Amino acid sequence: LLILVPEQFQEAIKQWFIKNWGNVASVWGLSVSIYVLRVAKGARRAAEDAKMASRTRNALQELQSAVVSSAEIGQYASTGHWLVVKLRASEVLGCCRNTVNRWGEDSALKGSRNRLNHAAEQMRSIAEEATQPEPNLQAVIRAQLDAHEALNAVVGKILKEQEARS
Amino acid sequence: MMDNTDLVIKLLDATKQGKIDWRPTAKTDEFTASFGGKWTLLCRQFATGSQIVERLSLQNAAGEELLSIRDSDISNVTRLYEMARRYALKVDEAIADLMKEIDEPQS
């Protein structure tokens, strides 16, 4: 750096550095610390994003299988297989409750908690109705469609957010 | 301690204003609504012996029952049940449609 400075100033700069080397080293150290902090913050954010993406992926997988089970409830109810209806409804109910409690605070799911709670409640009512001696098919199908619509809306929202992020 | 009467009155007002989306469940005479991302309301009518009872319950996101109020505790629960039923089954829309149909000249 000194080579670039005109010769008459080189000695003065040298002296200045000798006198102030401590300050120069402090400023240099501070700059390095700020740089390292920024890199560490970026790495932490990237790790958090990756963790959230993985959580959302897990939630999505569970919800997609819940959508399949929900559709099956309608088919089994129509054919009078009430024991299977009860089992499937309990499965979907558990999935909805798990999703809300485990991932409910994630940004992708925050706006969907009402829908998941609603789907869970509909599944609870289907499971209870399925144990009756003569279950009300029309009411079960209506509740199943209502829950199915809510679950599909949540899955759609997560997929949309994933697409927007990528 | 919070008074449950205030809660029921607040729910009545919110239902009247259409702020609570009540839906029928798979069980007869049972209606549900979820809101705030945390709570689920359940309003039901059932028979115990010769008596007809209305009951409002509040659940958290884990499905635990936080509150259960019967019409014998707070009489407004019966009104809330009736309003939730009207909203969920779209009774007002049905009546409006029926009246329109009656008013139209027969073809």
Side-chain angles (χ1 to χ4, degrees), chain A residues 97 100-101 110 113-115 117-119 121-122 124-126 128-129 132 136 139-140 142-143 146 149, chain B residues 23-28 30 32-42 44 59-63 89:
Chain A
R97 295 261 191 251
V100 171
N101 290 313
K110 225 167 186 177
R113 287 187 304 197
N114 271 347
R115 285 198 177 103
N117 285 334
H118 181 67
E121 199 47 43
Q122 291 292 30
R124 193 267 319 151
S125 71
I126 291 171
E128 280 185 22
E129 188 63 19
Q132 296 299 309
N136 183 342
V140 167
R142 186 180 56 200
D146 193 23
E149 191 188 317
Chain B
R23 300 282 184 98
T25 72
K27 297 187 81 181
T28 315
E30 188 182 80
T32 183
S34 297
F35 60 93
K38 294 175 188 169
W39 302 286
T40 299
L41 289 169
L42 206 62
R44 68 178 82 156
Q59 292 177 357
N60 61 15
L89 301 180

Side-chain angles (χ1 to χ4, degrees), chain B residues 55-67:
Chain B
R55 183 170 168 257
L56 168 75
S57 60
L58 176 71
Q59 292 177 357
N60 61 15
E64 295 159 338
E65 193 173 72
L66 304 178
L67 203 67

Side-chain angles (χ1 to χ4, degrees), chain A residues 44-99:
Chain A
R44 204 174 92 180
R45 193 175 303 146
E48 275 171 6
D49 284 352
K51 202 170 149 188
M52 205 179 83
S54 154
R55 279 172 165 191
T56 309
R57 237 186 347 264
N58 287 343
L60 183 64
Q61 276 174 2
E62 288 207 13
L63 288 171
Q64 280 172 328
S65 76
V67 168
V68 174
S69 297
S70 158
E72 284 174 2
I73 287 171
Q75 291 162 10
Y76 284 117
S78 308
T79 51
H81 291 88
W82 292 106
L83 186 64
V84 188
V85 169
K86 184 182 176 286
L87 287 171
R88 286 280 185 269
S90 304
E91 263 174 41
V92 180
L93 165 65
C95 171
C96 294
R97 295 261 191 251
N98 270 343
T99 307

Side-chain angles (χ1 to χ4, degrees), chain B residues 92-104:
Chain B
D92 290 343
E93 281 100 317
I95 291 172
D97 269 3
L98 177 67
M99 286 172 77
K100 203 175 141 195
E101 201 73 33
I102 292 167
D103 288 342
E104 271 176 15

Side-chain angles (χ1 to χ4, degrees), chain B residues 9-27:
Chain B
I9 288 169
K10 205 143 203 166
L11 290 172
L12 262 172
D13 285 343
T15 303
K16 212 180 284 178
Q17 290 166 29
K19 286 183 183 170
I20 301 180
D21 189 20
W22 290 100
R23 300 282 184 98
T25 72
K27 297 187 81 181

Side-chain angles (χ1 to χ4, degrees), chain A residues 128, chain B residues 27-31 42-57 65 68-73 77-78 81 85:
Chain A
E128 280 185 22
Chain B
K27 297 187 81 181
T28 315
D29 300 327
E30 188 182 80
F31 305 95
L42 206 62
C43 212
R44 68 178 82 156
Q45 187 183 62
F46 55 96
T48 51
S50 59
Q51 253 193 329
I52 299 289
V53 175
E54 281 89 23
R55 183 170 168 257
L56 168 75
S57 60
E65 193 173 72
S68 172
I69 312 167
R70 285 169 76 140
D71 59 336
S72 53
D73 305 325
V77 171
T78 306
Y81 169 80
R85 193 184 72 83

